[in-house]
Amino acid sequence: MKDPTQTAAIRKAWESQINRRFRRLRKEVDTFFAGSNLPLDADYVKFFDTWFEKTIALLFAGDWVTKYVEQSYLHGMLQSRIATMITALDRDTMALLKSRSVTETTAALDAMKAQTSERISKAIIASESKNKLSAEVNDRINKIGKTRTLLVSSTMPGYSSNAAEVNAAITLGGDTKLLWITRQDERVRTTHALINQKLFSAKVAMNLLGDPNCRCRVKPVMADASKLKGYAQIRRSGINISAEAQIEQRLFEVSKTQALGYFD
């Protein structure tokens, strides 16, 4: 089964940004050690730590993380097929998701810096060569910095998209439920496989979301429109009409970007 959240294009674009930045960082590290003639002592560690922090700040600056979170959330609004305006709830949720993504990315980079400094100190005490020091730094870049930030990029698009679908169901109200849909392959968690095709309230569905690398989707399931009567039927039609007018342009831009292959 294909990705239920249909956020693969966003994930790949996010991962591409991460890979490009870490590739550049590794090159900068190799250049640093190749061109440095300073003695390998305690001052060298301090000098490297200062240089490393500034280089990371430069390479990982910008709103590239929050951009992908917002695109994922807007995609979820589209996928919900419940046309709604961008509400205060949506704005608050997007802000929280962006904050979480930035915090987790920063934490990954901080852990990488701390472990790198420790490795450098141990290597100098052991009288290792600069080539060895460079290899130790690049090892931490790959196994800590890159691995952990890629985990953020593989988790947050689906989570953000699902959060938008849950909020769309909340906005619609009534007896709208969320249907849990897994990828239906061998990688699905047992706990998630057990709830495949089951219905949940918005609150319960939101609490079930957010596991690392989760590829599941929660799909809003509305009451059969043919069974609606009176005001409920008018309300359903009114929401559909007004929502299109309010968010058509912004969501069109998201769809257009994805249709072009999401090259960014």
Short mmCIF file of all heavy atoms in Angstrom, two decimals, residues 82-148:
data_model
loop_
_atom_site.label_atom_id
_atom_site.label_comp_id
_atom_site.label_asym_id
_atom_site.label_seq_id
_atom_site.Cartn_x
_atom_site.Cartn_y
_atom_site.Cartn_z
N ILE A 82 -12.22 17.92 3.89
CA ILE A 82 -13.19 18.73 4.63
C ILE A 82 -12.75 20.17 4.45
O ILE A 82 -11.79 20.60 5.08
CB ILE A 82 -13.22 18.38 6.12
CG1 ILE A 82 -13.55 16.91 6.33
CG2 ILE A 82 -14.20 19.26 6.87
CD1 ILE A 82 -13.46 16.46 7.77
N ALA A 83 -13.39 20.87 3.54
CA ALA A 83 -12.97 22.24 3.26
C ALA A 83 -13.25 23.12 4.47
O ALA A 83 -14.39 23.31 4.85
CB ALA A 83 -13.71 22.77 2.04
N THR A 84 -12.19 23.66 5.06
CA THR A 84 -12.34 24.54 6.22
C THR A 84 -11.41 25.72 6.07
O THR A 84 -10.39 25.64 5.40
CB THR A 84 -12.00 23.80 7.52
OG1 THR A 84 -10.63 23.40 7.48
CG2 THR A 84 -12.89 22.60 7.73
N MET A 85 -11.77 26.82 6.71
CA MET A 85 -10.88 27.97 6.74
C MET A 85 -9.71 27.66 7.66
O MET A 85 -9.78 26.74 8.48
CB MET A 85 -11.64 29.20 7.23
CG MET A 85 -12.04 29.12 8.68
SD MET A 85 -13.02 30.54 9.20
CE MET A 85 -14.58 30.15 8.40
N ILE A 86 -8.63 28.42 7.52
CA ILE A 86 -7.49 28.28 8.42
C ILE A 86 -7.87 28.98 9.72
O ILE A 86 -7.93 30.20 9.79
CB ILE A 86 -6.22 28.87 7.82
CG1 ILE A 86 -5.84 28.12 6.55
CG2 ILE A 86 -5.07 28.80 8.83
CD1 ILE A 86 -4.64 28.67 5.83
N THR A 87 -8.15 28.20 10.73
CA THR A 87 -8.67 28.72 11.99
C THR A 87 -7.55 29.04 12.98
O THR A 87 -6.38 28.75 12.75
CB THR A 87 -9.62 27.69 12.62
OG1 THR A 87 -8.83 26.52 12.97
CG2 THR A 87 -10.72 27.28 11.65
N ALA A 88 -7.95 29.61 14.11
CA ALA A 88 -6.98 29.87 15.18
C ALA A 88 -6.39 28.56 15.67
O ALA A 88 -5.20 28.49 16.02
CB ALA A 88 -7.68 30.61 16.33
N LEU A 89 -7.20 27.51 15.70
CA LEU A 89 -6.71 26.19 16.10
C LEU A 89 -5.63 25.71 15.15
O LEU A 89 -4.60 25.17 15.58
CB LEU A 89 -7.87 25.18 16.11
CG LEU A 89 -7.50 23.71 16.39
CD1 LEU A 89 -6.88 23.58 17.77
CD2 LEU A 89 -8.75 22.83 16.27
N ASP A 90 -5.82 25.91 13.85
CA ASP A 90 -4.81 25.52 12.86
C ASP A 90 -3.52 26.31 13.05
O ASP A 90 -2.42 25.74 13.03
CB ASP A 90 -5.34 25.74 11.44
CG ASP A 90 -6.48 24.82 11.09
OD1 ASP A 90 -6.39 23.62 11.41
OD2 ASP A 90 -7.47 25.29 10.49
N ARG A 91 -3.65 27.61 13.25
CA ARG A 91 -2.45 28.44 13.42
C ARG A 91 -1.68 28.06 14.68
O ARG A 91 -0.44 27.98 14.66
CB ARG A 91 -2.85 29.92 13.45
CG ARG A 91 -3.27 30.48 12.10
CD ARG A 91 -3.40 31.99 12.15
NE ARG A 91 -4.54 32.40 12.95
CZ ARG A 91 -5.77 32.56 12.48
NH1 ARG A 91 -6.01 32.34 11.20
NH2 ARG A 91 -6.77 32.94 13.27
N ASP A 92 -2.41 27.82 15.77
CA ASP A 92 -1.74 27.43 17.01
C ASP A 92 -1.05 26.08 16.87
O ASP A 92 0.08 25.89 17.35
CB ASP A 92 -2.76 27.35 18.15
CG ASP A 92 -3.25 28.73 18.59
OD1 ASP A 92 -2.59 29.72 18.23
OD2 ASP A 92 -4.28 28.79 19.29
N THR A 93 -1.72 25.13 16.21
CA THR A 93 -1.14 23.81 16.03
C THR A 93 0.11 23.87 15.16
O THR A 93 1.12 23.23 15.47
CB THR A 93 -2.17 22.85 15.39
OG1 THR A 93 -3.33 22.78 16.21
CG2 THR A 93 -1.59 21.45 15.24
N MET A 94 0.04 24.64 14.08
CA MET A 94 1.22 24.79 13.23
C MET A 94 2.38 25.40 13.99
O MET A 94 3.54 24.97 13.84
CB MET A 94 0.89 25.64 12.00
CG MET A 94 0.24 24.87 10.87
SD MET A 94 0.24 25.78 9.30
CE MET A 94 -1.17 26.87 9.58
N ALA A 95 2.10 26.38 14.83
CA ALA A 95 3.16 27.01 15.62
C ALA A 95 3.81 26.01 16.57
O ALA A 95 5.04 25.98 16.72
CB ALA A 95 2.59 28.19 16.41
N LEU A 96 2.99 25.16 17.20
CA LEU A 96 3.52 24.15 18.11
C LEU A 96 4.33 23.10 17.37
O LEU A 96 5.39 22.65 17.85
CB LEU A 96 2.36 23.48 18.87
CG LEU A 96 1.65 24.35 19.91
CD1 LEU A 96 0.37 23.68 20.38
CD2 LEU A 96 2.58 24.64 21.09
N LEU A 97 3.86 22.68 16.20
CA LEU A 97 4.59 21.70 15.41
C LEU A 97 5.92 22.26 14.92
O LEU A 97 6.94 21.55 14.92
CB LEU A 97 3.74 21.27 14.21
CG LEU A 97 2.48 20.45 14.54
CD1 LEU A 97 1.59 20.34 13.31
CD2 LEU A 97 2.86 19.06 15.03
N LYS A 98 5.92 23.50 14.52
CA LYS A 98 7.16 24.15 14.09
C LYS A 98 8.15 24.23 15.24
O LYS A 98 9.35 23.94 15.07
CB LYS A 98 6.88 25.55 13.54
CG LYS A 98 6.14 25.57 12.22
CD LYS A 98 5.82 27.00 11.80
CE LYS A 98 5.06 27.03 10.49
NZ LYS A 98 4.72 28.42 10.07
N SER A 99 7.65 24.63 16.41
CA SER A 99 8.51 24.74 17.59
C SER A 99 9.11 23.38 17.95
O SER A 99 10.31 23.28 18.26
CB SER A 99 7.71 25.28 18.77
OG SER A 99 8.50 25.35 19.94
N ARG A 100 8.31 22.35 17.90
CA ARG A 100 8.80 20.99 18.22
C ARG A 100 9.88 20.57 17.23
O ARG A 100 10.92 20.02 17.64
CB ARG A 100 7.64 19.99 18.19
CG ARG A 100 8.10 18.55 18.29
CD ARG A 100 6.97 17.56 18.30
NE ARG A 100 7.46 16.20 18.09
CZ ARG A 100 6.70 15.12 18.14
NH1 ARG A 100 5.41 15.22 18.42
NH2 ARG A 100 7.21 13.92 17.94
N SER A 101 9.67 20.82 15.96
CA SER A 101 10.64 20.42 14.94
C SER A 101 11.97 21.15 15.11
O SER A 101 13.04 20.55 15.00
CB SER A 101 10.08 20.69 13.54
OG SER A 101 8.93 19.92 13.31
N VAL A 102 11.90 22.45 15.39
CA VAL A 102 13.12 23.23 15.59
C VAL A 102 13.84 22.77 16.85
O VAL A 102 15.07 22.61 16.87
CB VAL A 102 12.79 24.74 15.69
CG1 VAL A 102 14.01 25.53 16.13
CG2 VAL A 102 12.29 25.25 14.34
N THR A 103 13.09 22.52 17.91
CA THR A 103 13.68 22.07 19.18
C THR A 103 14.40 20.73 19.01
O THR A 103 15.53 20.55 19.50
CB THR A 103 12.60 21.94 20.27
OG1 THR A 103 12.01 23.23 20.51
CG2 THR A 103 13.19 21.41 21.56
N GLU A 104 13.75 19.79 18.32
CA GLU A 104 14.36 18.47 18.15
C GLU A 104 15.57 18.52 17.22
O GLU A 104 16.55 17.81 17.43
CB GLU A 104 13.31 17.50 17.61
CG GLU A 104 12.21 17.19 18.63
CD GLU A 104 11.22 16.16 18.13
OE1 GLU A 104 11.34 15.71 16.97
OE2 GLU A 104 10.30 15.81 18.91
N THR A 105 15.51 19.37 16.21
CA THR A 105 16.66 19.53 15.32
C THR A 105 17.83 20.16 16.07
O THR A 105 18.98 19.71 15.95
CB THR A 105 16.29 20.41 14.11
OG1 THR A 105 15.24 19.77 13.37
CG2 THR A 105 17.49 20.62 13.20
N THR A 106 17.54 21.18 16.87
CA THR A 106 18.58 21.84 17.67
C THR A 106 19.19 20.87 18.67
O THR A 106 20.41 20.86 18.88
CB THR A 106 17.99 23.06 18.40
OG1 THR A 106 17.46 23.98 17.44
CG2 THR A 106 19.06 23.76 19.22
N ALA A 107 18.35 20.04 19.29
CA ALA A 107 18.84 19.06 20.26
C ALA A 107 19.79 18.07 19.60
O ALA A 107 20.81 17.67 20.19
CB ALA A 107 17.67 18.34 20.91
N ALA A 108 19.47 17.67 18.38
CA ALA A 108 20.33 16.73 17.65
C ALA A 108 21.69 17.36 17.36
O ALA A 108 22.74 16.72 17.53
CB ALA A 108 19.66 16.32 16.35
N LEU A 109 21.68 18.62 16.95
CA LEU A 109 22.93 19.32 16.66
C LEU A 109 23.75 19.56 17.93
O LEU A 109 24.98 19.45 17.91
CB LEU A 109 22.63 20.65 15.95
CG LEU A 109 21.97 20.54 14.59
CD1 LEU A 109 21.61 21.93 14.05
CD2 LEU A 109 22.88 19.81 13.59
N ASP A 110 23.07 19.88 19.02
CA ASP A 110 23.77 20.09 20.30
C ASP A 110 24.42 18.80 20.79
O ASP A 110 25.55 18.81 21.31
CB ASP A 110 22.80 20.62 21.36
CG ASP A 110 22.40 22.06 21.11
OD1 ASP A 110 23.09 22.74 20.32
OD2 ASP A 110 21.39 22.51 21.71
N ALA A 111 23.72 17.67 20.65
CA ALA A 111 24.28 16.38 21.05
C ALA A 111 25.50 16.05 20.20
O ALA A 111 26.51 15.53 20.69
CB ALA A 111 23.23 15.28 20.92
N MET A 112 25.40 16.35 18.92
CA MET A 112 26.53 16.12 18.01
C MET A 112 27.74 16.95 18.43
O MET A 112 28.88 16.44 18.48
CB MET A 112 26.11 16.47 16.58
CG MET A 112 27.22 16.36 15.56
SD MET A 112 26.69 16.96 13.92
CE MET A 112 26.58 18.73 14.22
N LYS A 113 27.52 18.22 18.74
CA LYS A 113 28.63 19.09 19.15
C LYS A 113 29.28 18.60 20.43
O LYS A 113 30.52 18.58 20.54
CB LYS A 113 28.12 20.52 19.33
CG LYS A 113 27.81 21.24 18.03
CD LYS A 113 27.43 22.70 18.24
CE LYS A 113 26.05 22.84 18.80
NZ LYS A 113 25.60 24.27 18.86
N ALA A 114 28.48 18.19 21.40
CA ALA A 114 29.00 17.73 22.69
C ALA A 114 29.84 16.46 22.51
O ALA A 114 30.95 16.35 23.06
CB ALA A 114 27.86 17.49 23.66
N GLN A 115 29.32 15.52 21.76
CA GLN A 115 30.05 14.26 21.57
C GLN A 115 31.29 14.45 20.71
O GLN A 115 32.30 13.77 20.89
CB GLN A 115 29.12 13.22 20.94
CG GLN A 115 28.00 12.78 21.87
CD GLN A 115 27.30 11.53 21.39
OE1 GLN A 115 27.88 10.71 20.68
NE2 GLN A 115 26.04 11.37 21.78
N THR A 116 31.21 15.39 19.78
CA THR A 116 32.38 15.68 18.94
C THR A 116 33.51 16.25 19.78
O THR A 116 34.68 15.84 19.64
CB THR A 116 31.99 16.68 17.83
OG1 THR A 116 31.06 16.07 16.95
CG2 THR A 116 33.22 17.10 17.04
N SER A 117 33.19 17.19 20.66
CA SER A 117 34.21 17.78 21.52
C SER A 117 34.86 16.72 22.41
O SER A 117 36.09 16.71 22.61
CB SER A 117 33.57 18.87 22.40
OG SER A 117 34.54 19.50 23.20
N GLU A 118 34.05 15.80 22.92
CA GLU A 118 34.57 14.72 23.76
C GLU A 118 35.50 13.81 22.96
O GLU A 118 36.58 13.44 23.44
CB GLU A 118 33.41 13.90 24.32
CG GLU A 118 33.84 12.75 25.21
CD GLU A 118 32.67 11.92 25.68
OE1 GLU A 118 31.53 12.22 25.30
OE2 GLU A 118 32.91 10.95 26.43
N ARG A 119 35.12 13.48 21.74
CA ARG A 119 35.94 12.62 20.90
C ARG A 119 37.28 13.29 20.56
O ARG A 119 38.33 12.63 20.53
CB ARG A 119 35.20 12.28 19.60
CG ARG A 119 34.03 11.31 19.79
CD ARG A 119 34.52 9.91 20.12
NE ARG A 119 33.43 8.94 20.15
CZ ARG A 119 33.05 8.20 19.11
NH1 ARG A 119 33.68 8.31 17.95
NH2 ARG A 119 32.05 7.34 19.22
N ILE A 120 37.23 14.59 20.28
CA ILE A 120 38.44 15.33 19.95
C ILE A 120 39.41 15.31 21.14
O ILE A 120 40.62 15.08 20.99
CB ILE A 120 38.11 16.79 19.58
CG1 ILE A 120 37.43 16.85 18.21
CG2 ILE A 120 39.37 17.65 19.56
CD1 ILE A 120 38.33 16.55 17.05
N SER A 121 38.89 15.56 22.33
CA SER A 121 39.73 15.56 23.53
C SER A 121 40.39 14.21 23.75
O SER A 121 41.60 14.12 24.03
CB SER A 121 38.89 15.94 24.76
OG SER A 121 38.38 17.24 24.63
N LYS A 122 39.62 13.14 23.63
CA LYS A 122 40.17 11.80 23.82
C LYS A 122 41.23 11.47 22.77
O LYS A 122 42.26 10.85 23.08
CB LYS A 122 39.05 10.77 23.77
CG LYS A 122 38.14 10.78 25.00
CD LYS A 122 37.09 9.68 24.91
CE LYS A 122 36.22 9.64 26.15
NZ LYS A 122 35.18 8.58 26.09
N ALA A 123 40.98 11.88 21.53
CA ALA A 123 41.92 11.59 20.46
C ALA A 123 43.24 12.33 20.67
O ALA A 123 44.33 11.78 20.40
CB ALA A 123 41.31 11.97 19.11
N ILE A 124 43.17 13.56 21.16
CA ILE A 124 44.39 14.34 21.40
C ILE A 124 45.17 13.73 22.56
O ILE A 124 46.40 13.63 22.52
CB ILE A 124 44.04 15.81 21.67
CG1 ILE A 124 43.54 16.47 20.39
CG2 ILE A 124 45.25 16.57 22.24
CD1 ILE A 124 43.10 17.91 20.56
N ILE A 125 44.47 13.33 23.61
CA ILE A 125 45.14 12.67 24.74
C ILE A 125 45.84 11.39 24.28
O ILE A 125 46.93 11.06 24.76
CB ILE A 125 44.10 12.34 25.84
CG1 ILE A 125 43.59 13.62 26.49
CG2 ILE A 125 44.71 11.41 26.90
CD1 ILE A 125 42.46 13.41 27.47
N ALA A 126 45.24 10.69 23.33
CA ALA A 126 45.83 9.45 22.81
C ALA A 126 46.86 9.71 21.71
O ALA A 126 47.36 8.77 21.09
CB ALA A 126 44.73 8.56 22.25
N SER A 127 47.18 11.00 21.48
CA SER A 127 48.19 11.39 20.48
C SER A 127 47.84 10.91 19.07
O SER A 127 48.69 10.47 18.31
CB SER A 127 49.58 10.86 20.88
OG SER A 127 49.98 11.37 22.13
N GLU A 128 46.58 10.99 18.74
CA GLU A 128 46.13 10.60 17.41
C GLU A 128 46.47 11.68 16.38
O GLU A 128 46.67 12.85 16.72
CB GLU A 128 44.62 10.34 17.40
CG GLU A 128 44.16 9.24 18.33
CD GLU A 128 44.50 7.85 17.81
OE1 GLU A 128 45.12 7.76 16.73
OE2 GLU A 128 44.14 6.87 18.48
N SER A 129 46.49 11.29 15.11
CA SER A 129 46.79 12.23 14.03
C SER A 129 45.56 13.10 13.72
O SER A 129 44.44 12.80 14.15
CB SER A 129 47.19 11.47 12.78
OG SER A 129 46.08 10.73 12.27
N LYS A 130 45.79 14.15 12.94
CA LYS A 130 44.67 15.01 12.55
C LYS A 130 43.70 14.28 11.63
O LYS A 130 42.50 14.57 11.62
CB LYS A 130 45.19 16.28 11.88
CG LYS A 130 45.86 17.24 12.85
CD LYS A 130 46.29 18.52 12.17
CE LYS A 130 46.91 19.47 13.20
NZ LYS A 130 47.38 20.73 12.58
N ASN A 131 44.20 13.34 10.87
CA ASN A 131 43.31 12.53 10.04
C ASN A 131 42.35 11.72 10.90
O ASN A 131 41.17 11.56 10.57
CB ASN A 131 44.11 11.58 9.14
CG ASN A 131 44.77 12.30 7.99
OD1 ASN A 131 44.34 13.39 7.60
ND2 ASN A 131 45.81 11.72 7.43
N LYS A 132 42.88 11.22 12.02
CA LYS A 132 42.05 10.47 12.96
C LYS A 132 41.03 11.39 13.61
O LYS A 132 39.85 11.01 13.78
CB LYS A 132 42.94 9.83 14.03
CG LYS A 132 42.17 9.07 15.10
CD LYS A 132 41.40 7.89 14.56
CE LYS A 132 40.76 7.09 15.67
NZ LYS A 132 39.94 5.97 15.16
N LEU A 133 41.44 12.60 13.95
CA LEU A 133 40.53 13.57 14.54
C LEU A 133 39.39 13.89 13.58
O LEU A 133 38.22 13.94 13.95
CB LEU A 133 41.27 14.86 14.92
CG LEU A 133 41.79 14.96 16.37
CD1 LEU A 133 42.82 13.85 16.64
CD2 LEU A 133 42.41 16.33 16.60
N SER A 134 39.75 14.09 12.33
CA SER A 134 38.74 14.39 11.31
C SER A 134 37.75 13.24 11.17
O SER A 134 36.54 13.45 11.05
CB SER A 134 39.43 14.65 9.97
OG SER A 134 38.48 14.96 8.97
N ALA A 135 38.26 12.02 11.20
CA ALA A 135 37.40 10.84 11.08
C ALA A 135 36.47 10.72 12.28
O ALA A 135 35.29 10.35 12.14
CB ALA A 135 38.26 9.58 10.97
N GLU A 136 36.97 11.05 13.47
CA GLU A 136 36.14 10.99 14.67
C GLU A 136 35.00 12.00 14.61
O GLU A 136 33.85 11.71 14.97
CB GLU A 136 37.00 11.25 15.92
CG GLU A 136 37.98 10.14 16.27
CD GLU A 136 37.28 8.93 16.86
OE1 GLU A 136 36.08 9.00 17.16
OE2 GLU A 136 37.95 7.89 17.03
N VAL A 137 35.32 13.20 14.13
CA VAL A 137 34.29 14.24 14.02
C VAL A 137 33.23 13.83 13.01
O VAL A 137 32.03 13.94 13.27
CB VAL A 137 34.92 15.59 13.62
CG1 VAL A 137 33.82 16.62 13.32
CG2 VAL A 137 35.84 16.09 14.72
N ASN A 138 33.67 13.35 11.86
CA ASN A 138 32.72 12.95 10.82
C ASN A 138 31.86 11.76 11.25
O ASN A 138 30.71 11.62 10.81
CB ASN A 138 33.45 12.63 9.53
CG ASN A 138 33.88 13.88 8.78
OD1 ASN A 138 33.19 14.89 8.81
ND2 ASN A 138 35.02 13.83 8.12
N ASP A 139 32.41 10.92 12.11
CA ASP A 139 31.63 9.81 12.64
C ASP A 139 30.46 10.32 13.48
O ASP A 139 29.33 9.82 13.37
CB ASP A 139 32.53 8.92 13.51
CG ASP A 139 31.77 7.77 14.15
OD1 ASP A 139 31.46 6.80 13.45
OD2 ASP A 139 31.47 7.86 15.36
N ARG A 140 30.72 11.31 14.32
CA ARG A 140 29.65 11.90 15.14
C ARG A 140 28.66 12.69 14.28
O ARG A 140 27.46 12.71 14.58
CB ARG A 140 30.24 12.81 16.21
CG ARG A 140 31.08 12.12 17.28
CD ARG A 140 30.27 11.11 18.07
NE ARG A 140 30.21 9.79 17.42
CZ ARG A 140 29.44 8.81 17.78
NH1 ARG A 140 28.58 8.96 18.78
NH2 ARG A 140 29.46 7.65 17.14
N ILE A 141 29.16 13.32 13.24
CA ILE A 141 28.28 14.05 12.33
C ILE A 141 27.27 13.10 11.71
O ILE A 141 26.07 13.39 11.66
CB ILE A 141 29.10 14.76 11.23
CG1 ILE A 141 29.86 15.95 11.83
CG2 ILE A 141 28.19 15.23 10.09
CD1 ILE A 141 30.79 16.63 10.86
N ASN A 142 27.75 11.95 11.25
CA ASN A 142 26.87 10.99 10.59
C ASN A 142 25.95 10.25 11.56
O ASN A 142 24.74 10.12 11.32
CB ASN A 142 27.69 9.96 9.81
CG ASN A 142 28.35 10.56 8.58
OD1 ASN A 142 27.81 11.47 7.95
ND2 ASN A 142 29.52 10.05 8.22
N LYS A 143 26.51 9.76 12.65
CA LYS A 143 25.75 8.88 13.54
C LYS A 143 24.87 9.61 14.55
O LYS A 143 23.89 9.03 15.04
CB LYS A 143 26.71 7.94 14.28
CG LYS A 143 27.41 6.95 13.36
CD LYS A 143 28.33 6.02 14.13
CE LYS A 143 29.01 5.02 13.20
NZ LYS A 143 29.94 4.11 13.92
N ILE A 144 25.21 10.85 14.85
CA ILE A 144 24.40 11.61 15.82
C ILE A 144 23.64 12.73 15.12
O ILE A 144 22.41 12.72 15.07
CB ILE A 144 25.28 12.19 16.94
CG1 ILE A 144 26.00 11.06 17.69
CG2 ILE A 144 24.39 12.99 17.91
CD1 ILE A 144 25.08 10.05 18.34
N GLY A 145 24.35 13.68 14.56
CA GLY A 145 23.69 14.82 13.94
C GLY A 145 22.77 14.46 12.79
O GLY A 145 21.57 14.76 12.81
N LYS A 146 23.31 13.78 11.81
CA LYS A 146 22.53 13.44 10.63
C LYS A 146 21.41 12.45 10.94
O LYS A 146 20.26 12.64 10.53
CB LYS A 146 23.44 12.88 9.54
CG LYS A 146 22.73 12.54 8.25
CD LYS A 146 23.71 11.98 7.22
CE LYS A 146 22.98 11.53 5.97
NZ LYS A 146 23.92 10.96 4.97
N THR A 147 21.74 11.39 11.67
CA THR A 147 20.75 10.36 11.97
C THR A 147 19.55 10.92 12.74
O THR A 147 18.39 10.63 12.44
CB THR A 147 21.39 9.22 12.78
OG1 THR A 147 22.41 8.60 11.99
CG2 THR A 147 20.36 8.17 13.16
N ARG A 148 19.83 11.75 13.73
CA ARG A 148 18.75 12.28 14.56
C ARG A 148 17.92 13.34 13.84
O ARG A 148 16.71 13.42 14.05
CB ARG A 148 19.32 12.84 15.87
CG ARG A 148 19.93 11.77 16.76
CD ARG A 148 20.34 12.31 18.12
NE ARG A 148 21.00 11.28 18.91
CZ ARG A 148 21.44 11.46 20.15
NH1 ARG A 148 21.29 12.64 20.75
NH2 ARG A 148 22.04 10.48 20.82
#
